[in-house]
Amino acid sequence: EKLAIAFGLISMPCGAPLYITKNLRVCDDCHTATKFMSKIVGREIVVRDSNRYHHFKDGLCSCGDYW
């Protein structure tokens, strides 16, 4: 999913939220990386996994790091 996020960041217009859908759960490494990416690029990244939606904004996740 990190590759999908990177591709979305270079192909979507600046400021637009990025939506990623995957059929597996988010792993700890990808969750942390996505938090950092949302903080660095200043965009909202929404990841839907098999259990819930994760809304990453300003380096924070809506799940409160509990998934």
Side-chain angles (χ1 to χ4, degrees):
E1 77 199 62
K2 289 184 268 188
L3 184 60
I5 292 170
F7 180 74
L9 288 174
I10 62 172
S11 57
M12 296 290 292
C14 282
L18 188 63
Y19 295 95
I20 305 292
T21 303
K22 59 182 286 182
N23 60 350
L24 300 172
R25 293 188 62 190
V26 176
C27 69
D28 186 41
D29 180 51
C30 291
H31 194 269
T32 303
T34 308
K35 287 194 313 185
F36 286 132
M37 285 187 242
S38 72
K39 178 78 170 175
I40 291 168
V41 299
R43 291 172 67 176
E44 181 180 7
I45 302 172
V46 180
V47 179
R48 180 182 185 273
D49 69 7
S50 61
N51 290 339
R52 63 179 49 95
Y53 283 88
H54 298 266
H55 295 265
F56 297 93
K57 189 171 185 178
D58 299 324
L60 300 172
C61 182
S62 61
C63 74
D65 294 337
Y66 175 77
W67 71 99

